[in-house]
């Protein structure tokens, strides 16, 4: 049974927060509070972003329902509504199963659309949590939201997810809740790495996104992403980790005509939601595909923090069984 992360004040707190806080870097992240710890707001700075957020928010709305929802839960925020970009209109499952109260509203924008500011503000939030790339891309109308409530945009899909999680939780003064989950994750990684050592020895793994590949004419090849970081932690020799890529994307594009870039992979893991790659000739002729050593990556786990990382370990371990 998963540990329960509750969205209200009864959120579980674990002892020993100092061990987490001690690992935090101070150069890229910080919080300031000129009025002392009793002040109603805290100024949060991380990387290039800066926000003033309530120290004790009462009503929190989450915009995407993946990594941003995980951060809100780990922070112990009282979530009153969340979207679910992975399975629109439905209650978040997977790594979030059983972790949201029944009273949490699921935002249901039109099919394929993102929640609008109006759909969010009807819930009277005093804090909106979203992913940092959504804030930078102004996916949800930042100016309209910030005119009515506080915004916190969080980094939750980088390879350095531990650093991001610890530093940002520290910045909002809420480190304790993640500690036990990290300990559980590390134990799972160690056990999985031992179990797969023989299976993965001498094998090379490629991770790609094939959703929309026919329309784009390309496959997105992962190099330094959240997913590749987890794969490497469990002992996978993930291809292209030394390739120079845009750090904001962590991947590069390979044209459908040049999919032989994946020919050296013994196992291909691909994030696929539309099956458009199945009848592409250059895909079908790849050695791993012909040998049946292909498995799908769950897009529900392509960004997040420790809870998502733990769920992804299980998925990757299951996928590696095809190498036995």
């Amino acid at each position: 049974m998963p540990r329960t992360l509750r969205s209200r004040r009864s959120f579980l707190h674990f002892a020993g927060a100092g061990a987490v806080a001690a690992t935090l870097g101070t150069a890229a992240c910080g919080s300031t509070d000129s009025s002392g710890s009793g002040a109603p707001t805290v100024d949060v700075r991380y990387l290039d972003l800066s926000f003033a957020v309530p120290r004790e928010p009462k009503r929190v709305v989450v915009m995407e329902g993946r990594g941003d929802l995980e951060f809100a839960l780990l922070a112990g925020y009282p979530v009153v509504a969340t979207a679910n970009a992975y399975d629109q209109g439905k209650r978040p499952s997977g790594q979030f199963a059983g972790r949201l109260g029944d009273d949490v509203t699921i935002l249901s924008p039109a099919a394929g659309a993102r929640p609008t500011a109006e759909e969010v503000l009807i819930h009277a939030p005093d804090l909106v949590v979203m992913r940092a790339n959504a804030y930078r891309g102004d996916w949800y109308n930042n100016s309209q939201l910030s005119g009515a409530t506080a915004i916190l945009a969080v980094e939750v899909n980088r390879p350095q997810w531990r650093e991001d999680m610890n530093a940002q939780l520290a910045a909002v003064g809420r480190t304790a809740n993640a500690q036990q989950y990290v300990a559980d994750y590390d134990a799972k990684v160690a056990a999985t790495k031992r179990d797969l050592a023989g299976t993965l020895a001498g094998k090379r793994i490629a991770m790609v996104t094939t959703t929309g590949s026919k329309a784009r004419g390309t496959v997105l090849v992962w190099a330094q992403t959240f997913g590749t970081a987890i794969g490497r932690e469990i002992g996978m020799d993930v291809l292209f980790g030394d390739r120079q890529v845009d750090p904001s994307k962590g991947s590069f594009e390979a044209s459908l005509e040049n999919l032989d870039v994946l020919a050296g992979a013994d196992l291909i893991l691909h994030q696929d939601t539309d099956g458009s790659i199945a009848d592409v000739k250059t895909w079908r002729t790849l050695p791993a595909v012909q040998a049946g050593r292909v498995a799908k990556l769950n897009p529900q786990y392509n960004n997040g923090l420790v809870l998502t990382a733990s769920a992804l370990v299980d998925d990757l371990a299951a996928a590696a069984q095809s190498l036995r």
Side-chain angles (χ1 to χ4, degrees):
M1 294 292 289
R3 297 178 184 273
T4 301
L5 285 171
R6 302 192 183 279
S7 63
R8 295 295 178 189
R9 297 296 179 191
S10 58
F11 188 97
L12 293 178
H13 287 270
F14 297 98
V20 173
T23 68
L24 304 179
T26 59
C29 174
S31 63
T32 60
D33 181 357
S34 59
S35 301
S37 61
T41 62
V42 57
D43 293 331
V44 177
R45 301 184 307 277
Y46 193 65
L47 302 180
D48 61 324
L49 300 177
S50 180
F51 305 96
V53 303
R55 181 177 297 280
E56 297 291 339
K58 300 298 190 294
R59 298 181 59 82
V60 175
V61 174
V62 177
M63 298 303 292
E64 187 178 77
R66 290 194 292 176
D68 50 359
L69 176 59
E70 181 170 349
F71 182 87
L73 292 175
L74 289 172
Y77 284 156
V79 176
V80 297
T82 182
N84 182 3
Y86 170 73
D87 200 1
Q88 203 167 47
K90 296 183 180 179
R91 187 164 293 274
S93 57
Q95 68 272 49
F96 302 124
R99 304 190 189 278
L100 283 175
D102 294 338
D103 56 340
V104 175
T105 299
I106 307 304
L107 302 177
S108 301
R114 295 165 176 154
T116 65
E118 290 82 2
E119 290 170 316
V120 170
L121 295 177
I122 197 172
H123 296 281
D126 58 353
L127 179 63
V128 165
V129 179
M130 66 179 71
R131 286 204 287 151
N133 61 335
Y135 183 84
R136 294 187 183 102
D138 198 15
W139 293 0
Y140 309 114
N141 195 336
N142 295 338
S143 61
Q144 186 175 359
L145 286 172
S146 63
T149 187
I151 295 175
L152 177 61
V154 289
E155 293 284 1
V156 291
N157 62 333
R158 301 198 308 159
Q160 50 271 63
W161 63 271
R162 289 175 185 261
E163 172 189 333
D164 292 340
M165 178 181 69
N166 290 340
Q168 292 173 111
L169 286 173
V172 297
R174 293 166 177 261
T175 60
N177 298 312
Q179 185 184 13
Q180 186 60 51
Y181 295 101
V182 171
D184 292 347
Y185 170 77
D186 286 339
K188 176 185 284 191
V189 165
T192 302
K193 190 172 184 177
R194 287 193 302 270
D195 292 345
L196 293 179
T199 301
L200 295 176
K203 301 298 194 297
R204 292 169 294 179
I205 316 298
M207 296 185 184
V208 301
T209 297
T210 60
T211 300
S213 57
K214 287 183 71 175
R216 293 195 317 269
T218 63
V219 164
L220 199 64
V221 183
W222 299 8
Q224 298 106 36
T225 68
F226 177 78
T228 63
I230 305 307
R232 292 186 177 101
E233 286 207 14
I234 63 172
M236 287 183 164
D237 178 7
V238 183
L239 294 176
F240 313 112
D242 57 351
R243 184 163 180 146
Q244 295 299 309
V245 295
D246 181 345
S248 69
K249 297 178 180 178
S251 56
F252 64 93
E253 288 188 320
S255 71
L256 297 183
E257 292 78 16
N258 295 306
L259 290 186
D260 57 352
V261 70
L262 303 174
D266 296 288
L267 171 65
I268 298 176
L269 306 178
H270 67 124
Q271 184 174 289
D272 170 56
T273 59
D274 64 5
S276 66
I277 197 69
D279 60 352
V280 173
K281 182 178 180 180
T282 50
W283 174 265
R284 297 199 314 268
T285 56
L286 287 170
V289 176
Q290 291 190 330
R293 295 191 301 271
V294 177
K296 290 185 179 181
L297 286 166
N298 190 338
Q300 188 169 3
Y301 304 146
N302 75 355
N303 69 80
L305 300 168
V306 65
L307 300 179
T308 305
S310 183
L312 184 54
V313 166
D314 293 335
D315 266 22
L316 295 179
Q321 300 309 310
S322 65
L323 291 170
R324 292 189 185 276

